[in-house]
Amino acid sequence: KAGVTQTPRYLIKTRGQQVTLSCSPISGHRSVSWYQQTPGQGLQFLFEYFSETQRNKGNFPGRFSGRQFSNSRSEMNVSTLELGDSALYLCASSLGGVRGTSTDTQYFGPGTRLTVL
Amino acid sequence: KNQVEQSPQSLIILEGKNCTLQCNYTVSPFSNLRWYKQDTGRGPVSLTIMTFSENTKSNGRYTATLDADTKQSSLHITASQLSDSASYICVVGDSNYQLIWGAGTKLIIKP
């Protein structure tokens, strides 16, 4: 079974540009969550999609948005990039989502490393 | 405020030795606790998931314990190997939705 794939793996952009990251979950998984990880920081939750609907959202500005397609693939968009957006962006998939009471295992992709110059 | 604190921040041990990583949390209402291993530049990999009623769970040389009364968890690694060098992250889920991530413990195994 193929794992979670993310494209591109590396990306360099300049301030003010926008970027779209893609995530393909494990076959059969309907939940996709996105996280931002900066050096020395824990993972920060961005949002979760389940069956094409955003089910939960973290505390990030509106410049960060996402969507999920009918095949469960998900995209994340960041508009008007800032230097502080440089980070590793991780996508995770699971069968039914990671609601607090669920013990579904999240499977993470390798991440997209975004550098904003 | 829901928080997950891990200690130590970093740890260096010799190959073959055992070690224990700590996780203290203030998440309420508690639902489950997870430990992940993250190699540098890669996504985290799940090691264990424990619910309120479980106080120990093993995955090979990794054994996690949970004391829901004191809100503490530990991850014990037996007979460490060079491939155990990674960051180990404790994550606590509450009964609503939140998954609260700790900052991780960076473990370095030296030959």
Side-chain angles (χ1 to χ4, degrees):
Chain A
K1 205 178 212 183
V4 178
T5 58
Q6 291 186 246
T7 56
R9 290 294 312 279
Y10 303 91
L11 205 49
I12 299 175
K13 292 284 188 180
T14 56
R15 277 182 299 173
Q17 287 187 307
Q18 69 127 25
V19 67
T20 299
L21 312 181
S22 180
C23 172
S24 292
I26 291 172
S27 178
H29 286 191
R30 297 166 66 188
S31 168
V32 173
S33 298
W34 288 90
Y35 295 86
Q36 181 195 66
Q37 186 176 34
T38 50
Q41 299 287 320
L43 272 72
Q44 304 292 316
F45 172 71
L46 282 154
F47 28 67
E48 185 212 4
Y49 285 87
F50 183 83
S51 293
E52 301 180 66
T53 301
Q54 186 181 88
R55 193 156 66 170
N56 215 304
K57 191 175 186 304
N59 294 324
F60 277 80
R63 299 185 296 107
F64 292 81
S65 64
R67 59 177 174 168
Q68 186 179 34
F69 302 95
S70 58
N71 61 359
S72 293
R73 189 177 71 84
S74 177
E75 287 183 346
M76 189 192 90
N77 186 275
V78 187
S79 62
T80 318
L81 284 166
E82 301 176 359
L83 294 179
D85 296 334
S86 294
L88 181 67
Y89 290 88
L90 292 160
C91 156
S93 79
S94 62
L95 274 171
V98 286
R99 290 191 175 280
T101 52
S102 163
T103 54
D104 278 356
T105 297
Q106 276 188 304
Y107 295 87
F108 282 82
T112 293
R113 183 160 298 283
L114 172 64
T115 302
V116 182
L117 303 176
Chain B
K1 182 183 175 184
N2 286 335
Q3 280 187 316
V4 175
E5 295 186 350
Q6 295 187 242
S7 62
Q9 201 170 24
S10 62
L11 182 63
I12 301 174
I13 63 171
L14 292 175
E15 185 180 10
K17 298 294 186 182
N18 303 335
C19 67
T20 300
L21 314 180
Q22 301 290 342
C23 173
N24 295 337
Y25 62 92
T26 57
V27 177
S28 181
F30 172 87
S31 173
N32 59 74
L33 187 145
R34 306 156 186 251
W35 282 94
Y36 285 88
K37 177 187 178 189
Q38 185 177 22
D39 292 316
T40 302
R42 308 190 71 163
V45 173
S46 178
L47 293 175
T48 62
I49 301 174
M50 290 184 289
T51 59
F52 184 88
S53 58
E54 297 171 296
N55 55 24
T56 187
K57 190 164 261 190
S58 292
N59 179 355
R61 295 180 295 102
Y62 301 100
T63 299
T65 63
L66 172 63
D67 186 334
D69 290 332
T70 61
K71 299 189 176 182
Q72 295 180 324
S73 175
S74 65
L75 180 69
H76 186 76
I77 304 175
T78 305
S80 60
Q81 299 175 358
L82 296 178
S83 59
D84 293 331
S85 293
S87 288
Y88 291 84
I89 307 171
C90 173
V91 186
V92 180
D94 69 14
S95 298
N96 299 317
Y97 170 77
Q98 300 282 339
L99 282 178
I100 297 92
W101 290 72
T105 292
K106 184 168 183 177
L107 176 64
I108 298 172
I109 311 297
K110 295 212 161 186

